[in-house]
Structures are given as structure tokens and as C-alpha cells.
């Protein structure tokens, strides 16, 4: 079993215990274990074989035994006993935003609701309003939440899609008959969510490639198999489509199957104007002679266009800009000098100051800013003065041993319901970087939420607004804001807005980030890491920034340490 599958069972146990209103310390233990298992760089099978299960933070004797049982049988006795009391469907109901454990228990015990279907039926029939504390607004929120859950089941986040795709690519690279392997489709364009995965392979032996593909261990079911395409379902029910073609037409096929559909239509219209024909086999003149096919760059050149990066291919003006040689020089991952939003175990992170700092150093960063939560966010173990001083002392100790990477002292401070900032001025002055964020009051009016951010921007100690629209994959949509006003305030107060690279956030989104850039706002790409491995999420933030047409100079953390600290002063 994969680490994420084991973590899923541990997380389910925690949620079942929540429904039962069990001991909160036991619930937290299972949640922490799930988080730590999921964050492991090594597979649990390897950890088990080396006898190191109990070295994982939060894993004691009892949890180690359960994990070992899950690895050997696919489940555990304790989990099955809980499911006898509370059906699996209640866990599905708990996925709906605004339905908490107590509400799910009430729905199950009073109305027998044990599935998303029965929840929707009860909501639409008005039966939920018969229960204490359930009003019409509650029902409306539940129906909206059901839509979010459905969207989440139809699509997957970038982390999941990338992990699955890279597993297949790595496996296919072991077969000598497979060459020029590339991911295509919306994943190559770095869209925020992905429906299925497209992979292209150049080969003279399609049959051999398809046989190898179908026999991979991650494949559960072969859905279809033809002369040029095969489709499979993984063990996680993710569809992966493989196309095999000759090397001579690989560039044309990669261009076509990367899309988007609207981008391809625009290219087709341009080809028709030139009396050409374009398809997945190449670019042809009126007499059917193939003019280009080997590479994407060759295809674009023959159409009179500069090469268009995959992330821009959304018919958002990129074809016109390429024709006028006006495409931006897009941000590259190598231009990022550091991460400005990172958590440690001093608040709700998994790893220590030293582990996070050394991981940043291994990535070649010039700096990393450790921004643990501020005091009022109790749910995230926010730091009071005493614990903040302890963190500062630890940073100083680690910095003496760490050469080449500067550890910046930061904080993710809370923006309260009136726009006020956590910590008094004398504490705020001590931070190198202050990142301010909203973590509550998401259902306030558009005007009130906007005022909160405007007031935070106006605070001279706030340098960056984190995850500005508050969206969270499968949990909540972006809250309503007057983004034009937020962009104006950010520009006028020299406050950067964050592109949160966590695959469940990606906030600001690409369209809003492009609007921010065009409004003269500086963006900061940060990972919101809660474990050392999360620092690698920077790739998703850079992908989003490229979709937003961002250049190196648009991004705050492409600056070196000294220039960064000088630039953020207000």
C-alpha cells in the first residue's frame, strides 16, 4: 500500500472517532500520525522492513501495530469495528463543507443519512430543517458543499496528478522501445485541477509499449486498447491515457494533445488563413505536403509564431502576442531565491527549524522565512511571547551551524474580523517578514472581507498577504472580495500578494495573479510548507505564475536577501 492509502485509513479512524465524540487526544494522535505518514519521503514498506516505524513522530507501539496490520492486510481490525458502528457513507457525508462530526452524527441517528445521495435527498425534501439548529441557510450551504465534493471527485489536484504521471513516466522509461516520453494535456499546461492524465510516447513498437503499460503494477483495469491509444484505471481510479506514435510526428502530436482546445482552434484558424492544414500529424500545405511535425517549435515557426510555452496555451491572447513577438520571458523555477511562508513544529508544522532550513539549503535557496502562526490562532498552535522567544533562540543556534542559507524570522499573523493584526508593534518590529492572513469569518460580506484586507495592507508592519481569497480545494470556494480595491491598496502600500503554491490552495489563481501584475502589484510565490517535503510545492506555484504571464521581475522572492529586505520596507 502507498503511504497516502495508509494515511487515508488513519484519517478515517480519526473522523469516525470524532463522530463518536471520542477522546480528543486520541483523535489528534491519529490525525498527526496520518499527516506524518503522508509526509514521509520513503515508502512505509521500507520503513517497516528496517524496523523504524516507531521513529516516525507520533507513532507509538499501538499505532505502529495498526500500521503494520494495514500494510499486510489492507485494513485493520479496529477500523472495521468502527465501521460496524458508523457506516462508511457517513465519512462521505463528512467530506461536505459545513457538515461537521456532530452534524453528521445527528443526520445519521435522526434521519438515517449514510450517503451523499441520501443527504441531498433529505436537503431537497426539506427534512433537514426538521432537526434542531438547521436553518434554510444551512441547507443552502450543504447543497453548495455537495457540488464542491462532486467537482473534487471529477478532478484531481496537481500534486496527485503529477505524482501519478511521474510514476508512469519513470516506469515507461525502463522499456527500451519507448522514447520521447512526455506528459500532455491539462497537466502539462499546469492547470489547477486535472481530470485525467495524458502521456505520449514515440516508438516503433506500439504493441510492446502497450503491453508493458498494461502490465505496470499501478494499473488496476485496462479500459481500452487500440492501435495508437490505450487507457487504464489506476488503483486510485485515475484514468491514464497513453498514445504511441512515430518519432517523426511527435512534435505535432505533443502540440495537439497538450491543447487547450481553444488554443488549438486558434492555431487551426491561423493555418486556414495561410491555406495550411494542421492536425496531430503535422502542418501541411494546400497540396498535402508536410511542412513541419518533428517539434512544437518548428510547428509554431511555420505558422509565423514564436514558441508558446504550454502554460500559456489557453487562448488568452498568447497567439496574438506570439505573432507580434510580444510574449513575456516567463519566470523559471531556477530564478526563485527562497521561500517566504514556511511552518515548523513550533506551531502546526511537522518538522523542526533545522530540518526545514537544511531542506531549503539543499534546494539551493539563499533564504527561507519561518512563518509560524501567531498567538490568536489556537487551532494551529499559535505562538505566544514565551514560545516565540524559544523559536528565536533555536533559529540562532541553527543559523550558526548552517552556512549559505539565511533563516529569516517571520510570522503568519492573524487578520481579525476588523482587520487588526496579531501581536503588538514591539513584537512585529522584530520580524524580518510579516505574512498576514485570514483564517476565519469566511462568510462575512464582500465589503467586510475586503475592508479586512485593505486594513492589513495599510499596516506598515505587514509585507505579504497570504492566500488572499481563502480558497481550499474540495473544502471551500474563494470568498467574495473586491479584488480591484485589494490590488489598489497592495500597490499603494507596497504590500505583496501571495501565490500560495500548496496544491490545495493555488491562491491567488492564475487569472487573479495576472490581473494583480497588470495592476502593478508584486507577487510572492510561497509554499505554505508544513513539512520539509512540501518545499517542493514551489514547482506548482511557478507553474501558476507562468500561466499568469509572470516574469522574474514580477516576483518578490526572485530577489537576493539584501535586496528583498530593502524592497519590502514600507
Amino acid at each position: 500500500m502507498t503511504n497516502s492509502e495508509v494515511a487515508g485509513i488513519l484519517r478515517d479512524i480519526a473522523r469516525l472517532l470524532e463522530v463518536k465524540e471520542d477522546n480528543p487526544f486520541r483523535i489528534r494522535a491519529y490525525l498527526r500520525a496520518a499527516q506524518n505518514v503522508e509526509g514521509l519521503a520513503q515508502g512505509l514498506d521500507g520503513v517497516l522492513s528496517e524496523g523504524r516505524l516507531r521513529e516516525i513522530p507520533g507513532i507509538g507501539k499501538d499505532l505502529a501495530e495498526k500500521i503494520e496490520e494495514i500494510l499486510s492486510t489492507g485494513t485493520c481490525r479496529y477500523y472495521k469495528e468502527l465501521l460496524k458502528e458508523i457506516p462508511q457513507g457517513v465519512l462521505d457525508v463528512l467530506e461536505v463543507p459545513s457538515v461537521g462530526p456532530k452534524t453528521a452524527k445527528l443526520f445519521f441517528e435522526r434521519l438515517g443519512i449514510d450517503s451523499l445521495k441520501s443527504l441531498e435527498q433529505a436537503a431537497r425534501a426539506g427534512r433537514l430543517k426538521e432537526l434542531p439548529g438547521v436553518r434554510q441557510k444551512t441547507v443552502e450551504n450543504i447543497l453548495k458543499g455537495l457540488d464542491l465534493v462532486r467537482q473534487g471527485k471529477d478532478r484531481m489536484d496537481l500534486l496527485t496528478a503529477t505524482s501519478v504521471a511521474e510514476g508512469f513516466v519513470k516506469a515507461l522509461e525502463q522499456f527500451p522501445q519507448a522514447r520521447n516520453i512526455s506528459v500532455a494535456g491539462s497537466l502539462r499546461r499546469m492547470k489547477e485541477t486535472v481530470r485525467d492524465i495524458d502521456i505520449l510516447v514515440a516508438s516503433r513498437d506500439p504493441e510492446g509499449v502497450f503491453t508493458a503499460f498494461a502490465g505496470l503494477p499501478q494499473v488496476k483495469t485496462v479500459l481500452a486498447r487500440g492501435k495508437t491509444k490505450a487507457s487504464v484505471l489506476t488503483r486510485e481510479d485515475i484514468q491514464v491515457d497513453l498514445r504511441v506514435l512515430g518519432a517523426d510526428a511527435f512534435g505535432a502530436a505533443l502540440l495537439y494533445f497538450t491543447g487547450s482546445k481553444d488554443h488549438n482552434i486558434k492555431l487551426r484558424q491561423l493555418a486556414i488563413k495561410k491555406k495550411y492544414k494542421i492536425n496531430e500529424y503535422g502542418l501541411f500545405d494546400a497540396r498535402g505536403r508536410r511542412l513541419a511535425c518533428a517539434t512544437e517549435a518548428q510547428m509554431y515557426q511555420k505558422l509565423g509564431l514564436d514558441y508558446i510555452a504550454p502554460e500559456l496555451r489557453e487562448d488568452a491572447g498568447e497567439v496574438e502576442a506570439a505573432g507580434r513577438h510580444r510574449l513575456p520571458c516567463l519566470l523559471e523555477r531556477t530564478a526563485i531565491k527562497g521561500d517566504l511562508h514556511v511552518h515548523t513544529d513550533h506551531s502546526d508544522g511537522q518538522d523542526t527549524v533545522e530540518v526545514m532550513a537544511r531542506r531549503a539549503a539543499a534546494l539551493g535557496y539563499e533564504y527561507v522565512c519561518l512563518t509560524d502562526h501567531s498567538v490568536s490562532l489556537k487551532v494551529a498552535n499559535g505562538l505566544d511571547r514565551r514560545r516565540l522567544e524559544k523559536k528565536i533562540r533555536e533559529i540562532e543556534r541553527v543559523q550558526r551551524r548552517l552556512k549559505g542559507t539565511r533563516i529569516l524570522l517571520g510570522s503568519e499573523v492573524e487578520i481579525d474580523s476588523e482587520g487588526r493584526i496579531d501581536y503588538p508593534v514591539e513584537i512585529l518590529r522584530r520580524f524580518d517578514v510579516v505574512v498576514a492572513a485570514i483564517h476565519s469569518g469566511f462568510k462575512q460580506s464582500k465589503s467586510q472581507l475586503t475592508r479586512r484586507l485593505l486594513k492589513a495592507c495599510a499596516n506598515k508592519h505587514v509585507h505579504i498577504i497570504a492566500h488572499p481569497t481563502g480558497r481550499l480545494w474540495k473544502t471551500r470556494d474563494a470568498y467574495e472580495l473586491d479584488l480591484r480595491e485589494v490590488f489598489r491598496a497592495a500597490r499603494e502600500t507596497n504590500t505583496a500578494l501571495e501565490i500560495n503554491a500548496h496544491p490545495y490552495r493555488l491562491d491567488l489563481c492564475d487569472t487573479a495573479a495576472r490581473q494583480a501584475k497588470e495592476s502593478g502589484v508584486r507577487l510572492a510565490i510561497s509554499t505554505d510548507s508544513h513539512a520539509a517535503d512540501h518545499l517542493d510545492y514551489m514547482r506548482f506555484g511557478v507553474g501558476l505564475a507562468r500561466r499568469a504571464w509572470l516574469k522574474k521581475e514580477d516576483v518578490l522572492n526572485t530577489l537576493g536577501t539584501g535586496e528583498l529586505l530593502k524592497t519590502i520596507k514600507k
Side-chain angles (χ1 to χ4, degrees), residues 116-310:
L116 295 176
K117 183 179 178 180
S118 59
L119 175 62
E120 182 170 13
Q121 288 173 341
R124 296 196 183 282
R127 294 170 59 210
L128 297 183
K129 288 191 289 184
E130 299 168 5
L131 300 174
V134 179
R135 299 179 175 82
Q136 180 58 33
K137 187 64 177 175
T138 310
V139 176
E140 290 171 5
N141 288 335
I142 286 171
L143 290 172
K144 287 180 184 176
L146 282 163
D147 287 338
L148 277 174
V149 171
R150 289 192 196 95
Q151 291 169 22
K153 290 184 182 299
D154 289 342
R155 303 185 71 83
M156 69 191 111
D157 62 273
L158 269 179
L159 177 62
T160 301
T162 300
S163 176
V164 171
E166 287 179 348
F168 275 95
V169 169
K170 187 175 180 181
L172 288 167
E173 285 174 344
Q174 304 307 306
F175 299 105
Q177 62 267 49
R179 297 184 298 159
N180 292 355
I181 304 167
S182 178
V183 170
S186 55
L187 178 54
R188 185 168 180 241
R189 301 198 314 275
M190 291 297 284
K191 282 207 73 169
E192 293 156 4
T193 60
V194 176
R195 190 179 300 279
D196 48 38
I197 293 166
D198 298 289
I199 299 174
L200 267 60
V201 170
S203 177
R204 295 178 180 177
D205 181 16
E207 191 62 32
V209 173
F210 286 142
T211 299
F213 176 61
L216 292 174
Q218 56 264 55
V219 172
K220 181 176 76 173
T221 307
V222 177
L223 299 175
R225 183 167 167 176
K227 290 185 178 181
T228 61
K229 179 184 173 184
S231 297
V232 301
L233 275 185
T234 69
R235 289 185 298 169
E236 298 85 11
D237 289 327
I238 295 169
Q239 183 172 329
V240 181
D241 297 334
L242 177 70
R243 289 179 172 83
V244 180
L245 53 147
D248 62 331
F250 188 80
L254 185 58
L255 178 61
Y256 182 84
F257 289 111
T258 294
S260 68
K261 179 182 176 182
D262 291 336
H263 179 79
N264 286 352
I265 289 172
K266 187 61 70 73
L267 295 184
R268 195 177 309 131
Q269 291 169 344
L270 182 59
I272 290 169
K273 285 181 182 177
K274 293 177 176 287
K275 300 190 181 333
Y276 293 159
K277 178 183 176 182
I278 187 171
N279 57 30
E280 63 265 43
Y281 301 104
L283 182 68
F284 302 86
D285 66 13
R287 296 173 62 183
R289 292 177 299 186
R290 191 153 64 177
L291 304 175
C293 60
T295 67
E296 291 180 309
Q298 187 185 73
M299 297 281 288
Y300 282 121
Q301 183 184 20
K302 287 293 183 181
L303 286 169
L305 303 173
D306 291 341
Y307 175 78
I308 301 173

Side-chain angles (χ1 to χ4, degrees), residues 382-393:
L383 275 63
D384 57 22
R385 286 179 184 242
R386 179 185 60 80
R387 292 174 51 233
L388 177 60
E389 293 295 339
K390 181 181 177 184
K391 176 186 170 180
I392 292 170
R393 290 194 297 272

Side-chain angles (χ1 to χ4, degrees), residues 511-565:
T511 53
R514 186 174 177 184
Q515 290 165 5
K517 167 211 163 114
E518 290 168 353
S519 300
V521 177
R522 181 97 72 164
L523 286 304
I525 306 174
S526 301
T527 59
D528 201 353
S529 291
H530 284 69
D533 288 345
H534 296 176
L535 287 164
D536 293 327
Y537 293 167
M538 186 61 74
R539 64 194 292 193
F540 305 128
V542 170
L544 189 155
R546 288 169 65 87
R547 287 178 60 80
W549 295 52
L550 266 58
K551 299 182 289 186
K552 176 182 176 179
E553 53 265 36
D554 300 318
V555 178
L556 189 64
N557 45 317
T558 61
L559 300 175
T561 312
E563 195 176 356
L564 167 76
L565 296 176

Side-chain angles (χ1 to χ4, degrees), residues 410-463:
S411 179
E412 183 178 8
V413 298
E414 200 62 14
I415 303 173
D416 74 8
S417 60
E418 299 301 321
R420 294 181 296 255
I421 301 299
D422 244 5
Y423 292 140
V425 170
E426 62 268 22
I427 289 182
L428 291 171
R429 284 177 179 152
R430 300 182 67 182
F431 296 116
D432 296 308
V433 180
V434 173
V435 177
I438 289 176
H439 291 98
S440 61
F442 304 122
K443 294 177 183 176
Q444 289 178 335
S445 68
K446 178 179 180 178
S447 60
Q448 189 169 357
L449 282 161
T450 301
R451 280 197 302 272
R452 289 169 73 181
L453 288 189
L454 298 187
K455 191 169 180 180
C457 287
N459 188 305
K460 68 178 182 179
H461 298 289
V462 171
H463 305 114

Side-chain angles (χ1 to χ4, degrees), residues 456-494:
C457 287
N459 188 305
K460 68 178 182 179
H461 298 289
V462 171
H463 305 114
I464 301 169
I465 302 294
H467 38 78
T469 73
R471 69 178 189 162
L472 198 58
W473 168 245
K474 292 199 292 189
T475 301
R476 61 176 177 266
D477 285 327
Y479 41 68
E480 282 198 278
L481 285 173
D482 186 338
L483 280 175
R484 184 176 297 179
E485 277 296 294
V486 173
F487 296 157
R488 179 196 58 75
R491 181 184 67 249
E492 291 178 357
T493 62
N494 188 33

